[in-house]
Amino acid sequence: MEFIKVTEQKEPFIALIELNRPKELNALNKQLMEEVRDALQALDKNDQVRVIIITGNEQAFAAGADIKQMADKSAIDMLLIDQFSTWDQIRRTKKPIIAAVSGFALGGGCEFAMTCDMIIASETAKFGQPEIKIGTIPGAGGTQRLTRAIGKAKSMELILTGRFLSAEDALYYGLVNKVVPKEMYMLETMQLAKEIAQLSPVAVQLAKEAVNRSFETHLDEGLAFERKNFYLTFASEDQKEGMKAFVEKRKADFKGK
C-alpha cells in the first residue's frame, strides 16, 4: 500500500493503521481511502485482531480531503466518482476503531475521526469543518456527526464560520474521550485498546453495534435491538467463561467464540 502503513500485531490483538502522506498533511485522496477500506475489511476478518487504531502523525491526523482532486469537477463528476462510498467501510467495521489524533483533523480529517468509535487527542489537536471557506459544505457526514456529538448551536457555529475547535474544547463538548500531552497520545490510545482487547470480542462487537444503533433509531427500536444483542451474548462461549470466572473469582480467558 502506498499511502497507509498497517501493523497487524502492534500489541496482542491490536492493529494499527497509519495514514502516510506526510507532505500533504495526510490529505484524504481517493486512493488513500480505498487503501483504508481494504485494510479494514482484512482486519475485520482477522481473528488475531480485536481492536483497530487509526492515526496520522504528530503534525496532522488528516488536514482534509485532497482539494486538488476535486477542484475542477462538476456535480455530475462528483456523483459518478462517489468518493464517499469507500468511507462506508469504516462505519460497517464490526471491531472497535480508535482514532489517535494529533495536530490537524480538519474537513474530511475531522469527519474521518468522528466516523471512528472513540478519539484520543493530543493537546495539539485541532478539529473543524472549514469547507465553507472554499465555497462548499461537509460531504462525509460532518453536518450530521458533529451535530450529534456536540449539539446544534456549536456545530452550526463551526460549520458556518469554518472555525477550529481546540483539543480542550473538543473534550469539553464531548467530541473526544481524552486529551493528553503530544508525547503521550499514542501511548494513551494503546492503553485504551489493550483494555478493550482483553474483553470478549463477541460482547464488544455486539455492544458497539447496539451503541451505534442508538444514533440511528427511535428509543423503542434501539431498546429492542439492545435486548436482542444481549440475548445473543448467551450463545457465546465467552459469556459462559466470563460469568464462570466471576463466580470463581478469577480472571476470564476470552477466546472470541
Side-chain angles (χ1 to χ4, degrees):
M1 293 185 176
E2 184 178 356
F3 294 135
I4 69 171
K5 297 178 182 178
V6 181
T7 308
E8 291 190 9
Q9 286 291 317
K10 187 68 177 176
E11 293 282 348
F13 300 117
I14 298 170
L16 176 66
I17 297 175
E18 298 175 83
L19 310 183
N20 188 36
R21 295 188 74 203
K23 291 181 180 179
E24 296 81 11
L25 297 178
N26 292 328
L28 305 173
N29 66 9
K30 190 169 184 290
Q31 182 180 337
L32 183 150
M33 292 309 301
E34 288 172 349
E35 291 179 8
V36 169
R37 175 199 62 199
D38 294 345
L40 288 173
Q41 287 175 340
L43 294 172
D44 221 17
K45 296 174 183 176
N46 187 339
D47 291 340
Q48 296 306 305
V49 173
R50 297 182 180 180
V51 183
I52 301 165
I53 296 171
I54 298 180
T55 193
N57 55 49
E58 289 189 356
Q59 190 176 5
F61 176 76
D66 193 329
I67 305 303
K68 292 179 181 178
Q69 283 194 339
M70 298 186 286
D72 61 350
K73 298 290 189 293
S74 69
I76 299 302
D77 289 335
M78 295 302 290
L79 178 67
L80 294 176
I81 291 169
D82 192 19
Q83 69 186 54
F84 297 129
S85 63
T86 54
W87 292 60
D88 293 339
Q89 181 58 43
I90 308 172
R91 186 169 52 86
R92 287 196 298 263
T93 300
K94 295 179 180 178
K95 294 170 183 176
I97 304 173
I98 307 172
V101 176
S102 183
F104 297 115
L106 305 176
C110 186
E111 291 170 310
F112 192 175
M114 290 191 295
T115 309
C116 299
D117 301 305
M118 290 159 280
I119 303 174
I120 300 296
S122 154
E123 60 190 1
T124 67
K126 293 185 183 299
F127 299 88
Q129 301 291 162
E131 290 89 345
I132 202 79
K133 292 187 174 181
I134 56 171
T136 187
I137 69 171
T143 63
Q144 305 303 300
R145 291 192 176 93
L146 189 64
T147 304
R148 283 168 168 77
I150 70 174
K152 176 185 174 181
K154 195 64 181 179
S155 62
M156 194 73 81
E157 174 193 330
L158 294 176
I159 291 169
L160 268 56
T161 65
R163 292 175 182 172
F164 297 168
L165 199 64
S166 70
E168 290 298 334
D169 283 344
L171 180 64
Y172 174 80
Y173 285 105
L175 182 62
V176 306
N177 295 76
K178 195 168 186 177
V179 175
V180 296
K182 183 170 66 174
E183 60 271 17
M184 295 289 292
Y185 81 103
M186 282 304 301
L187 179 61
E188 189 68 34
T189 306
M190 194 62 66
Q191 287 299 116
L192 177 59
K194 286 180 182 178
E195 188 173 347
I196 296 169
Q198 293 175 6
L199 304 174
S200 163
V202 176
V204 165
Q205 290 182 32
L206 289 171
K208 168 180 169 170
E209 188 180 33
V211 171
N212 281 335
R213 186 58 64 97
S214 74
F215 289 94
E216 301 162 1
T217 60
H218 295 295
L219 179 60
D220 284 347
E221 186 180 345
L223 289 171
F225 187 86
E226 177 192 72
R227 194 167 302 162
K228 181 204 74 172
N229 278 10
F230 169 72
Y231 294 150
L232 275 176
T233 64
F234 284 76
S236 71
E237 294 177 16
D238 278 354
Q239 175 270 330
K240 301 295 183 290
E241 164 64 11
M243 292 193 176
K244 185 179 180 182
F246 178 83
V247 171
E248 296 175 355
K249 298 182 179 180
R250 60 176 175 81
K251 185 178 179 179
D253 182 19
F254 294 119
K255 302 295 187 183
K257 298 180 180 179

